[in-house]
Amino acid sequence: MIVFWRLVLVYYICAILFYNQRFFAWRERHPNGASVLQTVVFGALAAFLCLPYLTLDWPVADIWSMPGWGGIIIVSVLYSIINRLFVYRKGQKRGYTLTFLIHDVLAILALLVCSPLYELYRSGDLMSEPVTLFWIGVIVVTRMFSIFIYMVEQDLYGRDYPTLDESFVTMLMRLIFFLIVLLPGWRWVLWFVVWFLACVEADRNRLMDLSRFAFYFSIFGATAIGFLVRYSWG
């Protein structure tokens, strides 16, 4: 599963680059250029992170084998196609959350299908890349959770796009919960309680202007991802 997790990391790095208003506005004016750019960037990052495995045979979907660079090309094109199919239209009123979830599920499935899975068959270890999983966790609890919360709230009441300071504060809040869970032994429990109470107090005094959904999803979501990464470390 080494290649799979590295491709997932590439996918989330690209989400940082391409999930923003500036890129969406540019994509509306230049859809073909955006598709080419996303394909090239994803392929370049994937080739860099999977460099040791590019000369190995990748049994794509267990149907046929090809060199790793061929698998990179296929998954990069699929990534671009999925991005082209699931876009947020200007003036869209509903369906943000569903679009986000379907897009991510299809993209991850495409990565899984195009990845050589013999690593799992040989070792039986699903979580074989603890460092890569750590960075995936960091991106998920910061950037991806911010996007997901925005999509849900956009569907619920058409909220404005979060400001830079709001995004920073909420991402930092989730990142600290995530990192606390990774502390060795049981010391994380004390720090978790301390940080939870601090966040509750900050929310009560309106130092953080979050909806109930955003507040509790941030806490429990970041904690859950932290436990998954902690598990991967053994």
Side-chain angles (χ1 to χ4, degrees):
M1 296 293 281
I2 290 176
V3 171
F4 170 70
W5 290 121
R6 293 189 182 191
L7 290 178
V8 171
L9 178 58
V10 171
Y11 173 71
Y12 285 128
I13 292 173
C14 287
I16 295 176
L17 299 175
F18 300 129
Y19 262 107
N20 57 75
Q21 285 184 309
R22 179 177 297 180
F23 180 78
F24 288 164
W26 182 76
R27 183 176 63 183
E28 284 192 3
R29 299 192 303 271
H30 309 282
N32 294 330
S35 294
V36 171
L37 177 63
Q38 289 175 318
T39 303
V40 171
V41 171
F42 186 95
L45 290 173
F48 175 74
L49 288 183
C50 299
L51 189 61
Y53 307 97
L54 294 184
T55 57
L56 300 178
D57 287 336
W58 288 23
V60 178
D62 285 335
I63 298 175
W64 74 91
S65 294
M66 62 176 59
W69 57 265
I72 293 292
I73 292 174
I74 289 178
V75 76
S76 300
V77 172
L78 287 176
Y79 167 76
S80 179
I81 292 173
I82 292 171
N83 284 344
R84 187 73 174 264
L85 293 175
F86 295 91
V87 297
Y88 305 101
R89 306 293 181 186
K90 189 174 182 179
Q92 181 175 332
K93 299 299 183 182
R94 291 290 184 271
Y96 285 87
T97 306
L98 184 61
T99 301
F100 175 85
L101 292 175
I102 293 176
H103 175 279
D104 266 33
V105 168
L106 288 180
I108 297 298
L109 285 176
L111 301 183
L112 185 63
V113 167
C114 295
S115 300
L117 302 181
Y118 47 76
E119 187 74 21
L120 175 63
Y121 300 150
R122 184 172 68 246
S123 67
D125 184 8
L126 181 64
M127 305 293 195
S128 55
E129 280 277 88
V131 176
T132 302
L133 286 166
F134 169 78
W135 288 112
I136 291 173
V138 169
I139 296 175
V140 168
V141 302
T142 54
R143 182 61 179 156
M144 299 309 295
F145 275 13
S146 290
I147 297 170
F148 177 71
I149 290 170
Y150 168 72
M151 298 301 178
V152 172
E153 294 182 338
Q154 181 70 14
D155 279 338
L156 291 176
Y157 52 84
R159 68 152 296 163
D160 294 330
Y161 200 78
T163 61
L164 183 61
D165 58 339
E166 178 187 349
S167 295
F168 176 78
V169 169
T170 54
M171 286 193 294
L172 181 62
M173 166 192 169
R174 291 190 297 269
L175 179 61
I176 292 176
F177 274 113
F178 171 76
L179 294 176
I180 284 174
V181 174
L182 300 181
L183 291 174
W186 289 97
R187 71 185 67 177
W188 67 269
V189 177
L190 173 61
W191 289 109
F192 183 91
V193 172
V194 170
W195 183 238
F196 175 79
L197 293 177
C199 290
V200 169
E201 187 65 21
D203 183 65
R204 182 181 296 120
N205 292 307
R206 308 301 294 177
L207 297 178
M208 295 189 300
D209 188 17
L210 301 177
S211 66
R212 293 299 87 195
F213 169 77
F215 183 75
Y216 288 106
F217 179 82
S218 292
I219 294 173
F220 294 111
T223 301
I225 298 297
F227 274 117
L228 288 175
V229 175
R230 182 186 177 102
Y231 168 77
S232 76
W233 289 359

